[in-house]
Amino acid sequence: MTPHDSGFGPDLVEVFGPKHEDGGPELIQLLTPEGERVHHPEFDMDFSAEQLRGFYRDMALVRRVDVEATALQRHGELGIWAQLLGQEAAQIGAGRAIRPNDYVFPTYREHGVAWCRGVDPLHLISLFRGVDHGGWNPKDHNFNLYTIVIGAQTLHAVGYAMGMQRDGVVGTGDPERDACVLAHFGDGASSQGDVNESFIFAASYNAPVVFFCQNNQWAISEPIERQSRIPLYQRALGFGFPGVRVDGNDVLATYAVTQAALQRARDGQGPTFIEAYTYRMGAHTTTDDPTRYRLSTDVESWKLKDPIARLEVYLKRNGYAGDDFFADIAAEADAIGHTLREGTKAMPDPKPLDIFDRVYSEITPELAAQRDGFTAYLESFEGAVH
Amino acid sequence: MTKVTLAKGLNMGLRKAMEADDKVLLMGEDVGTLGGVFRITDGLQKDFGEDRVIDSPLAESGIVGTAVGMAMRGYRPVVEIQFDGFVYPAYDQIVCQVAKLHFRSQGRIKMPMVIRIPFGGGIGAVEHHSESPEAQFAHTPGLKVVTCSNPVDGYWMIQQAIAHDDPVIFLEPKRQYHAEKAELDESATPVPLFSSQLVRHGSDATLLAYGPTVKTAMKAAEAAAGEGKSLEVIDLRTLSPLDMGPVFDSVRRTGRAVVVHEAHVNLGLGAELSARITEECFYSLEAPVLRVGGFDTPYPASRLEEDWLPDLDRVLDAVDRSLEF
Ligand SMILES: Cc1ncc(C[n+]2csc(CCOP(=O)(O)OP(=O)(O)O)c2C)c(N)n1
Ligand SMILES: [Mg+2]
């Protein structure tokens, strides 16, 4: 029986069109992989040369942070590292579209967004080094701690947005006042119950939240086809809010689309789903071996769509940046690399006794007794290093 | 005879179970093409096909919930939860459905499901990758909970768990996956699944351990022997039901017991063991049953994990306290 005989109408391909490896005609793009500026009827924008150079700088420096952290892991300084390689445009585009009052809920790979929020990369490193579970104060940056349980943060994002509604900071028309939430997650996460429930809640309360899904084509070894038979952004419609697919390797388009969606949320018009179509160029994490499940030819073809290279071409071709600019960025990257290496090695280890004080607002008597017992035990070792 | 790691023993055991019964299916995140993040299902999809080794969407409640339906349809699903800390999205399905369907259906529905969970710490991981949730499952009537501490047990116990008609939470000490190898004799007769094993004879005190702490206990016994103390070690292997016979026999002889687990001490397995030993062996006890385990805090960042986890010194400290009581 073909799907046509079923009485349920046309099949998936007829409804959604054939699968496009390149993101398909619905892909919103402002800068092609070749570095050509193209225009879009809905999301076009003018960018100043300074803004363009800023995007380049962000992406280049964040890539350096990533490369450096990967190297530190290889040298045994970090337990593990989740690489962002290839996803710089998606993260910088989104990260630069957020305003200070907005609040961000990241996964564990949002190093580029963390960068835009002013989180010291050494804080990211300390988490992956095993020094802490999240060392920055989220309130200082309006950037939540990394969440490792897949999808859990999307519900937190919606709840936070519901709080904003109640605080009267949505849809007032005052740009200084209005705010919204940006919720990050991956293609794999889109299968989790929590993520689907977050869509329901967001739609039900018209919450000021933007769901920003980086479809990097992989959830560890599982391709996107395992999670969805239709383009992810089209799911949004079923939940009752708009969805768009943007070229996640195009920082200009990602910025433009995210900015528009965030404004919609701040204006009180409710949630939007953005699928940033991109590619995880590296391994899932430093412990993963992608050669076991994907073709190097795929990686090669995505290399041609590199987010940084295309902006570099565009900047050079149009005279927006000269050799000095690129040399300066390279020097700045080297300095960051140095700071990270030194900072990592100088990072103090956490103290065993500290953990007891952090479980509750105030330590309970029984936990205090446990801590005191452990203190005495540690002291019983002569010349102990603790 | 071959020398195998725990990872290999489990892999061979899964293969055996799949050969023995074509109703056995594997399902989980990354278990197919990749062979699992720990490679426990390595090569199985290639040999048994995608219908029997199923890469699932990224949703633990989905994995366990659909496994319930497959079990109702006559299959024997073996699901993998990628890490201990990621079992909770499936917790509702496990506790309200997997555990209760036999009871609810007056025995008409069987749930021959195995839920494999790599557990325990010591691998330098980030949050949620090092936990010991066994008590949460052992506290749930309807579930059986077992854990293997070595390659040979891994090979046999996984097959026995799969052949068993009740749902089994199968805990695998991930730190041991690729550690020491052991001689595996596939023609041997395995000990029963729900039995505890005496793994070292001694006379001064009994160490009760399971999963990752068996190794710690054995090392502690070795070190104690150097100081003239003779420790008996029992590998519990089954946490629900508990097999208390060997434990009572041992404690009646030694008069002292120390329980060692990585899980938090508060309301952990040690509490139940201590209560039962006290109830049954009261007049043989020379000291209260002591517990050594993780502190009652969330699992710490990995640079503190060796302080947090019970180690040889903390076990010996407890042994001394027991002996000096
Ligand atoms: C609830 C839960 N299950 C499993 C995992 C293990 N895990 C970590 S990342 C990952 C894949 C996530 O894929 P995706 O959402 O596409 O994000 P990406 O890693 O590609 O950025 C998995 C299965 C987890 N962290 N949380
Ligand atoms: Mg992904």
PDB file of all heavy atoms in Angstrom, chain A residues 264-281:
ATOM      1  N   ARG A 264      10.030  40.437  17.673  1.00  0.00           N
ATOM      2  CA  ARG A 264       8.658  39.939  17.688  1.00  0.00           C
ATOM      3  C   ARG A 264       8.283  39.497  19.115  1.00  0.00           C
ATOM      4  O   ARG A 264       7.205  39.800  19.618  1.00  0.00           O
ATOM      5  CB  ARG A 264       8.604  38.732  16.736  1.00  0.00           C
ATOM      6  CG  ARG A 264       7.272  38.487  16.139  1.00  0.00           C
ATOM      7  CD  ARG A 264       7.285  37.317  15.173  1.00  0.00           C
ATOM      8  NE  ARG A 264       5.931  36.811  15.164  1.00  0.00           N
ATOM      9  CZ  ARG A 264       5.498  35.808  15.909  1.00  0.00           C
ATOM     10  NH1 ARG A 264       6.341  35.133  16.673  1.00  0.00           N
ATOM     11  NH2 ARG A 264       4.237  35.466  15.891  1.00  0.00           N
ATOM     12  N   ALA A 265       9.206  38.784  19.746  1.00  0.00           N
ATOM     13  CA  ALA A 265       8.952  38.307  21.109  1.00  0.00           C
ATOM     14  C   ALA A 265       8.841  39.481  22.083  1.00  0.00           C
ATOM     15  O   ALA A 265       7.923  39.546  22.890  1.00  0.00           O
ATOM     16  CB  ALA A 265      10.063  37.360  21.545  1.00  0.00           C
ATOM     17  N   ARG A 266       9.781  40.401  21.973  1.00  0.00           N
ATOM     18  CA  ARG A 266       9.750  41.574  22.876  1.00  0.00           C
ATOM     19  C   ARG A 266       8.472  42.377  22.695  1.00  0.00           C
ATOM     20  O   ARG A 266       7.949  42.960  23.634  1.00  0.00           O
ATOM     21  CB  ARG A 266      10.941  42.501  22.592  1.00  0.00           C
ATOM     22  CG  ARG A 266      12.281  41.949  23.005  1.00  0.00           C
ATOM     23  CD  ARG A 266      13.374  43.016  22.768  1.00  0.00           C
ATOM     24  NE  ARG A 266      14.666  42.393  22.587  1.00  0.00           N
ATOM     25  CZ  ARG A 266      15.331  42.354  21.432  1.00  0.00           C
ATOM     26  NH1 ARG A 266      14.841  42.919  20.334  1.00  0.00           N
ATOM     27  NH2 ARG A 266      16.495  41.749  21.380  1.00  0.00           N
ATOM     28  N   ASP A 267       7.976  42.393  21.462  1.00  0.00           N
ATOM     29  CA  ASP A 267       6.756  43.152  21.168  1.00  0.00           C
ATOM     30  C   ASP A 267       5.494  42.453  21.662  1.00  0.00           C
ATOM     31  O   ASP A 267       4.393  42.973  21.485  1.00  0.00           O
ATOM     32  CB  ASP A 267       6.637  43.391  19.658  1.00  0.00           C
ATOM     33  CG  ASP A 267       7.653  44.410  19.162  1.00  0.00           C
ATOM     34  OD1 ASP A 267       8.220  45.129  20.010  1.00  0.00           O
ATOM     35  OD2 ASP A 267       7.888  44.472  17.936  1.00  0.00           O
ATOM     36  N   GLY A 268       5.669  41.255  22.198  1.00  0.00           N
ATOM     37  CA  GLY A 268       4.507  40.549  22.735  1.00  0.00           C
ATOM     38  C   GLY A 268       3.778  39.713  21.695  1.00  0.00           C
ATOM     39  O   GLY A 268       2.632  39.306  21.904  1.00  0.00           O
ATOM     40  N   GLN A 269       4.457  39.428  20.588  1.00  0.00           N
ATOM     41  CA  GLN A 269       3.796  38.641  19.538  1.00  0.00           C
ATOM     42  C   GLN A 269       4.074  37.149  19.639  1.00  0.00           C
ATOM     43  O   GLN A 269       3.661  36.387  18.770  1.00  0.00           O
ATOM     44  CB  GLN A 269       4.191  39.183  18.163  1.00  0.00           C
ATOM     45  CG  GLN A 269       3.570  40.556  17.914  1.00  0.00           C
ATOM     46  CD  GLN A 269       4.175  41.240  16.710  1.00  0.00           C
ATOM     47  OE1 GLN A 269       4.813  40.610  15.877  1.00  0.00           O
ATOM     48  NE2 GLN A 269       4.006  42.537  16.632  1.00  0.00           N
ATOM     49  N   GLY A 270       4.792  36.750  20.673  1.00  0.00           N
ATOM     50  CA  GLY A 270       4.928  35.325  20.943  1.00  0.00           C
ATOM     51  C   GLY A 270       6.168  34.669  20.372  1.00  0.00           C
ATOM     52  O   GLY A 270       7.068  35.330  19.863  1.00  0.00           O
ATOM     53  N   PRO A 271       6.204  33.340  20.498  1.00  0.00           N
ATOM     54  CA  PRO A 271       7.406  32.582  20.160  1.00  0.00           C
ATOM     55  C   PRO A 271       7.657  32.439  18.655  1.00  0.00           C
ATOM     56  O   PRO A 271       6.737  32.537  17.858  1.00  0.00           O
ATOM     57  CB  PRO A 271       7.144  31.201  20.767  1.00  0.00           C
ATOM     58  CG  PRO A 271       5.671  31.115  20.965  1.00  0.00           C
ATOM     59  CD  PRO A 271       5.143  32.508  21.086  1.00  0.00           C
ATOM     60  N   THR A 272       8.917  32.223  18.338  1.00  0.00           N
ATOM     61  CA  THR A 272       9.344  31.890  16.977  1.00  0.00           C
ATOM     62  C   THR A 272      10.351  30.751  17.088  1.00  0.00           C
ATOM     63  O   THR A 272      11.097  30.682  18.061  1.00  0.00           O
ATOM     64  CB  THR A 272      10.058  33.087  16.293  1.00  0.00           C
ATOM     65  OG1 THR A 272       9.224  34.234  16.389  1.00  0.00           O
ATOM     66  CG2 THR A 272      10.378  32.792  14.835  1.00  0.00           C
ATOM     67  N   PHE A 273      10.324  29.904  16.099  1.00  0.00           N
ATOM     68  CA  PHE A 273      11.308  28.826  16.017  1.00  0.00           C
ATOM     69  C   PHE A 273      12.282  29.149  14.896  1.00  0.00           C
ATOM     70  O   PHE A 273      11.868  29.382  13.762  1.00  0.00           O
ATOM     71  CB  PHE A 273      10.573  27.507  15.715  1.00  0.00           C
ATOM     72  CG  PHE A 273      11.464  26.294  15.623  1.00  0.00           C
ATOM     73  CD1 PHE A 273      11.472  25.352  16.633  1.00  0.00           C
ATOM     74  CD2 PHE A 273      12.287  26.079  14.515  1.00  0.00           C
ATOM     75  CE1 PHE A 273      12.279  24.218  16.544  1.00  0.00           C
ATOM     76  CE2 PHE A 273      13.098  24.955  14.427  1.00  0.00           C
ATOM     77  CZ  PHE A 273      13.096  24.022  15.446  1.00  0.00           C
ATOM     78  N   ILE A 274      13.566  29.179  15.219  1.00  0.00           N
ATOM     79  CA  ILE A 274      14.582  29.380  14.180  1.00  0.00           C
ATOM     80  C   ILE A 274      15.410  28.107  14.071  1.00  0.00           C
ATOM     81  O   ILE A 274      15.964  27.634  15.058  1.00  0.00           O
ATOM     82  CB  ILE A 274      15.523  30.557  14.520  1.00  0.00           C
ATOM     83  CG1 ILE A 274      14.723  31.870  14.608  1.00  0.00           C
ATOM     84  CG2 ILE A 274      16.630  30.668  13.476  1.00  0.00           C
ATOM     85  CD1 ILE A 274      15.558  33.044  15.109  1.00  0.00           C
ATOM     86  N   GLU A 275      15.452  27.559  12.893  1.00  0.00           N
ATOM     87  CA  GLU A 275      16.350  26.433  12.639  1.00  0.00           C
ATOM     88  C   GLU A 275      17.571  26.996  11.935  1.00  0.00           C
ATOM     89  O   GLU A 275      17.484  27.443  10.789  1.00  0.00           O
ATOM     90  CB  GLU A 275      15.670  25.378  11.754  1.00  0.00           C
ATOM     91  CG  GLU A 275      16.604  24.229  11.387  1.00  0.00           C
ATOM     92  CD  GLU A 275      16.014  23.271  10.340  1.00  0.00           C
ATOM     93  OE1 GLU A 275      14.873  23.499   9.885  1.00  0.00           O
ATOM     94  OE2 GLU A 275      16.716  22.306   9.983  1.00  0.00           O
ATOM     95  N   ALA A 276      18.704  27.004  12.622  1.00  0.00           N
ATOM     96  CA  ALA A 276      19.948  27.463  12.006  1.00  0.00           C
ATOM     97  C   ALA A 276      20.611  26.243  11.381  1.00  0.00           C
ATOM     98  O   ALA A 276      21.084  25.351  12.085  1.00  0.00           O
ATOM     99  CB  ALA A 276      20.852  28.115  13.039  1.00  0.00           C
ATOM    100  N   TYR A 277      20.610  26.232  10.079  1.00  0.00           N
ATOM    101  CA  TYR A 277      21.069  25.069   9.328  1.00  0.00           C
ATOM    102  C   TYR A 277      22.586  25.145   9.203  1.00  0.00           C
ATOM    103  O   TYR A 277      23.135  26.026   8.541  1.00  0.00           O
ATOM    104  CB  TYR A 277      20.403  25.105   7.952  1.00  0.00           C
ATOM    105  CG  TYR A 277      20.355  23.791   7.239  1.00  0.00           C
ATOM    106  CD1 TYR A 277      19.443  22.814   7.609  1.00  0.00           C
ATOM    107  CD2 TYR A 277      21.217  23.537   6.162  1.00  0.00           C
ATOM    108  CE1 TYR A 277      19.387  21.606   6.932  1.00  0.00           C
ATOM    109  CE2 TYR A 277      21.167  22.332   5.492  1.00  0.00           C
ATOM    110  CZ  TYR A 277      20.245  21.371   5.877  1.00  0.00           C
ATOM    111  OH  TYR A 277      20.191  20.190   5.207  1.00  0.00           O
ATOM    112  N   THR A 278      23.266  24.239   9.865  1.00  0.00           N
ATOM    113  CA  THR A 278      24.719  24.340   9.942  1.00  0.00           C
ATOM    114  C   THR A 278      25.335  22.946   9.975  1.00  0.00           C
ATOM    115  O   THR A 278      24.662  21.968   9.613  1.00  0.00           O
ATOM    116  CB  THR A 278      25.112  25.209  11.176  1.00  0.00           C
ATOM    117  OG1 THR A 278      26.526  25.310  11.254  1.00  0.00           O
ATOM    118  CG2 THR A 278      24.575  24.642  12.482  1.00  0.00           C
ATOM    119  N   TYR A 279      26.560  22.860  10.389  1.00  0.00           N
ATOM    120  CA  TYR A 279      27.229  21.556  10.401  1.00  0.00           C
ATOM    121  C   TYR A 279      28.265  21.513  11.512  1.00  0.00           C
ATOM    122  O   TYR A 279      29.007  22.467  11.728  1.00  0.00           O
ATOM    123  CB  TYR A 279      27.925  21.304   9.059  1.00  0.00           C
ATOM    124  CG  TYR A 279      28.287  19.851   8.835  1.00  0.00           C
ATOM    125  CD1 TYR A 279      27.320  18.939   8.420  1.00  0.00           C
ATOM    126  CD2 TYR A 279      29.591  19.398   9.049  1.00  0.00           C
ATOM    127  CE1 TYR A 279      27.641  17.594   8.219  1.00  0.00           C
ATOM    128  CE2 TYR A 279      29.919  18.066   8.847  1.00  0.00           C
ATOM    129  CZ  TYR A 279      28.945  17.168   8.437  1.00  0.00           C
ATOM    130  OH  TYR A 279      29.263  15.848   8.237  1.00  0.00           O
ATOM    131  N   ARG A 280      28.258  20.392  12.221  1.00  0.00           N
ATOM    132  CA  ARG A 280      29.263  20.183  13.263  1.00  0.00           C
ATOM    133  C   ARG A 280      30.528  19.696  12.585  1.00  0.00           C
ATOM    134  O   ARG A 280      30.642  18.515  12.244  1.00  0.00           O
ATOM    135  CB  ARG A 280      28.727  19.128  14.249  1.00  0.00           C
ATOM    136  CG  ARG A 280      29.445  19.071  15.580  1.00  0.00           C
ATOM    137  CD  ARG A 280      29.105  17.779  16.311  1.00  0.00           C
ATOM    138  NE  ARG A 280      29.831  16.679  15.727  1.00  0.00           N
ATOM    139  CZ  ARG A 280      29.410  15.410  15.698  1.00  0.00           C
ATOM    140  NH1 ARG A 280      28.260  15.074  16.233  1.00  0.00           N
ATOM    141  NH2 ARG A 280      30.149  14.459  15.135  1.00  0.00           N
ATOM    142  N   MET A 281      31.488  20.609  12.372  1.00  0.00           N
ATOM    143  CA  MET A 281      32.705  20.230  11.630  1.00  0.00           C
ATOM    144  C   MET A 281      33.616  19.325  12.457  1.00  0.00           C
ATOM    145  O   MET A 281      34.369  18.536  11.912  1.00  0.00           O
ATOM    146  CB  MET A 281      33.487  21.488  11.225  1.00  0.00           C
ATOM    147  CG  MET A 281      32.775  22.363  10.206  1.00  0.00           C
ATOM    148  SD  MET A 281      32.434  21.529   8.648  1.00  0.00           S
ATOM    149  CE  MET A 281      34.094  21.358   7.988  1.00  0.00           C
TER     150      MET A 281
END
